[in-house]
Amino acid sequence: MNVLVLNGPNLGRLGTREPAVYGSTTHDDLIALCLRTGAELGIEVEVRQTDHEGQMLEWLHEAADARTPVVLNAGAWTHYSIAVRDACAALTAPLVEVHISNVHKREQFRHHSYLSELAAGVIVGLGVDGYALALRWLAGKA
Ligand code: DQA
């Protein structure tokens, strides 16, 4: 089983970006965690990050065509991108939405997600462990 872990804008700056909110784990650490978890679970995991919405849409189209499950942290796009939502709506395998921070404890504009109603489940506020939990759940579905 293959799983794509897709991270959206500013997540490449994990570790230096607002560490009080997102912690000290870097994006490279996050990749290592996901690959380690995938190896433990016996699944193929690929982690990608982009600050470009069109790139994210292309990766979601690729996942839809290949019937690949997706773990998605769309960052700020979560809260306003109907284009990312539409691409998620076309996915053909389960989608798990992840947020490192507890968006519900933060500003009002972070409380709404355009993606949650399309997701099999949503994990928020558990730091980067949320990615490992999402992978574990998807591996159990295989
Ligand atoms: C985030 C939460 C979003 O509101 C924010 O724009 C991000 C990161 C999170 O992982 O907590 O970029 O998705």
Side-chain angles (χ1 to χ4, degrees), residues 25-129:
T25 305
T26 65
H27 194 264
D28 280 349
D29 296 334
L30 170 57
I31 293 173
L33 168 71
C34 290
L35 297 186
R36 209 166 53 238
T37 305
E40 272 170 30
L41 296 167
I43 59 174
E44 283 284 319
V45 177
E46 193 183 336
V47 185
R48 303 179 189 171
Q49 188 275 328
T50 183
D51 292 328
H52 302 278
E53 193 174 2
Q55 176 66 85
M56 178 61 81
L57 298 177
E58 286 178 13
W59 288 342
L60 289 166
H61 299 162
E62 179 189 323
D65 289 342
R67 302 190 169 277
T68 306
V70 173
V71 175
L72 175 62
N73 184 346
W77 292 328
T78 307
H79 313 300
Y80 70 85
S81 175
I82 295 169
V84 173
R85 177 198 170 98
D86 286 349
C88 288
L91 287 172
T92 45
L95 166 71
V96 180
E97 178 181 351
V98 170
H99 299 286
I100 294 166
S101 65
N102 182 350
V103 285
H104 300 292
K105 268 204 222 167
R106 301 181 63 195
E107 303 94 326
Q108 188 72 33
F109 65 83
R110 295 185 205 274
H111 297 184
H112 178 257
S113 164
Y114 277 101
L115 314 178
S116 296
E117 62 189 293
L118 302 169
V122 182
I123 301 173
V124 305
L126 301 183
V128 293
D129 291 347

